[in-house]
Amino acid sequence: MAALPRLWLADRMWTARWGQAATLIEDAALVVLGEQIAYAGPRAALPAAWVELCAAPVAQARLITPGLIDAHTHLVFAGSRADEYEQRLAGASYADIAARGGGIAASVRATRAASEDELLAAALQRARALMADGVTTVEIKSGYGLEAAAEAKMLRVARRIGSELGIRVRTSYLALHALPGEWRERRAEYVDLACGAWLASAHAEGLVDAVDAYLEHLAFDRHEVRKLFESARALGLPLKLHAEQLSNQHGAALAAEFGALSADHLEYLDADGVAAMARAGTVAMLIPAAYLLLKETQLPPIAALRQAGVPMAVASDLNPGTSPILSLRLAMSLACTLFGLTVEEAWRGATLHAARALGLGEATGCLQTSAPADFVLWDAASPAELLYWLGDRRAQQIVCAGRIVAVA
Ligand code: DI6
Ligand code: FE
């Protein structure tokens, strides 16, 4: 049976489109058929067949925007690292804590020890928080398992979050996140397994949408990342990379060489890296909350990225170590305040550009005919108002694939 059309109304509707300035449509209507948008535009131009739906809209809001897309999170983990937060406040650095066996290793111990259901329960709370502030698509990485079974367990939990909450989940395999202590003397063997048998089996189980790595002096080097990228490419999997967060390892250029979807963080990105990303069409994923919480002072080269036409996206990087943040909207606000993005850049960054960074295709992340019906009703006058206020809740209804998945 064909789905019946349903209609939403809004005082204003904001959307971005590729190659065009964003639009803020006054007195807007949005029609959904099944899982897709059938019309998004001025109510005055609504096709006649749907005009009578205006008498009984599903809901009427002050503002409708596309659903937010959080394209970089580590939201599946067990335990807490509040103790490390206190140690950093007392002067310890992220690298000091890692060298003492804390950091990622602490989350790995807790995550390995947790059952799949325990992990799911903890992760669902965090995913619900993201969702309550407007997220309809979330990327979730492994990387706190660092052995075949625990990596697969994390990715299974990620998949279950999508089915439990009715939001879109894209997974990334991140076994090259940190070298587990028990492999210290057998580093090459670990890398071989992580790039080979473990990745192949997680992929065979349908758990891997993309492959990521942490290229950093305290994690993995260019040769190791190259090996992973070659394996992933052989499996036809898209790539992304944690690059230039704490130092310049020329990771963005490596990611670009492999046609990666995104290079993420980028505080220490240099001009060659910017040029390589521009040539490859690799998205620059900005992560202002980790910058803030690490008290970093080196800013990503925003002006150079803008000048080169590199699409910039914004993500939460929700993780227990460097970015315990439960709101992408707050990350967007920080991207404006700390990195100097405009409000429009931050919104494009968490919708259209984030969709590209997940390989979701041109239509995702914008409100237009045939796009997925992923949108948010907000109690706000404008997109700017949603970044200007910190810490409040403004989302009234979250719609993903045409289904109302959360209400305030
Ligand atoms: N993303 C990461 O993967 C690392 N830093 C970052 O911003 C480590 C996260 C962690 O400490 O658990
Ligand atoms: Fe990360």
Side-chain angles (χ1 to χ4, degrees):
M1 199 180 74
L4 293 173
R6 288 164 301 143
L7 173 137
W8 281 257
L9 294 173
D11 297 345
R12 300 171 112 186
M13 187 170 80
W14 180 91
T15 194
R17 292 207 179 90
W18 281 105
Q20 292 175 30
T23 51
L24 191 60
I25 297 162
E26 305 282 338
D27 196 13
L30 191 151
V31 177
V32 173
L33 262 177
E35 298 187 359
Q36 286 188 342
I37 294 173
Y39 176 82
R43 180 173 165 174
L46 192 63
W50 295 322
V51 168
E52 66 184 35
L53 295 173
C54 293
V58 177
Q60 179 145 14
R62 294 173 71 203
L63 177 68
I64 292 185
T65 71
L68 300 181
I69 299 174
D70 198 345
H72 181 143
T73 86
H74 308 248
L75 72 78
V76 173
F77 62 86
S80 155
R81 283 159 52 197
D83 55 336
E84 296 181 8
Y85 171 66
E86 284 196 281
Q87 291 164 30
R88 288 207 309 277
L89 291 175
S93 74
Y94 184 68
D96 296 336
I97 292 168
R100 292 202 287 262
I104 293 170
S107 295
V108 170
R109 287 189 291 274
T111 303
R112 284 178 179 173
S115 72
E116 191 173 310
D117 287 340
E118 286 164 349
L119 266 185
L120 178 68
L124 274 173
Q125 282 194 16
R126 297 186 277 265
R128 281 200 185 94
L130 288 180
M131 200 176 161
D133 218 10
V135 166
T136 53
T137 297
V138 62
E139 183 261 14
I140 303 177
K141 302 175 194 297
S142 68
Y144 295 122
L146 309 185
E147 61 191 14
E151 287 289 291
K153 174 174 72 177
M154 288 185 72
L155 295 169
R156 255 180 250 121
V157 168
R159 287 273 187 255
R160 286 173 69 185
I161 288 169
S163 47
E164 291 260 345
L165 299 181
I167 56 175
R168 295 176 204 278
V169 168
R170 304 293 287 177
T171 59
S172 299
Y173 172 86
L174 179 60
L176 292 197
H177 196 196
L179 184 73
E182 69 274 18
W183 291 89
R184 201 167 298 134
E185 308 304 324
R186 293 179 295 154
R187 186 179 179 95
E189 223 178 302
Y190 178 83
V191 172
D192 279 348
L193 284 167
C195 300
W198 299 356
L199 171 59
S201 78
H203 177 52
E205 209 184 316
L207 294 174
V208 182
D209 296 326
V211 170
D212 191 359
Y214 193 22
L215 174 50
E216 196 51 76
H217 56 79
L218 44 70
F220 292 92
D221 69 22
R222 291 173 60 81
H223 300 291
E224 294 162 335
V225 171
R226 181 176 286 280
K227 190 175 169 78
L228 175 74
F229 281 4
E230 280 166 356
S231 308
R233 185 155 70 182
L235 295 171
L237 288 166
L239 306 170
K240 54 185 64 193
L241 186 64
H242 286 70
E244 275 73 273
Q245 181 187 8
L246 307 173
S247 61
N248 184 3
Q249 305 281 327
H250 307 285
L254 180 65
E257 178 192 327
F258 278 83
L261 292 171
S262 70
D264 303 28
H265 290 284
L266 306 175
E267 279 80 347
Y268 289 83
L269 180 66
D270 64 15
D272 289 346
V274 172
M277 289 178 72
R279 280 194 301 275
T282 298
V283 174
M285 185 71 62
L286 304 172
I287 311 233
Y291 169 95
L292 173 70
L293 290 160
L294 291 175
K295 297 192 202 170
E296 179 59 67
T297 53
Q298 171 83 25
L299 284 164
I302 302 298
L305 290 164
R306 212 182 257 143
Q307 171 99 37
V310 176
M312 294 184 283
V314 179
S316 71
D317 192 17
L318 194 177
N319 78 62
T322 56
S323 196
I325 178 175
L326 293 165
S327 165
L328 177 55
R329 199 186 123 209
L330 176 55
M332 293 157 70
S333 178
L334 294 175
C336 294
T337 304
L338 300 175
F339 291 174
L341 264 61
T342 64
V343 165
E344 178 170 333
E345 283 173 330
W347 275 89
R348 292 179 92 86
T351 56
L352 205 58
H353 295 184
R356 176 172 286 189
L358 295 181
L360 292 175
E362 294 272 300
T364 313
C366 75
L367 302 177
Q368 64 177 33
T369 304
S370 300
D374 297 1
F375 55 91
V376 182
L377 277 64
W378 304 95
D379 181 12
S382 66
E385 192 177 14
L386 289 169
L387 305 194
Y388 157 71
W389 283 101
L390 306 181
D392 62 348
R393 282 290 164 89
R394 296 291 188 110
Q396 297 176 310
Q397 203 178 91
I398 318 284
V399 180
C400 185
R403 289 180 49 222
I404 299 170
V405 290
V407 288

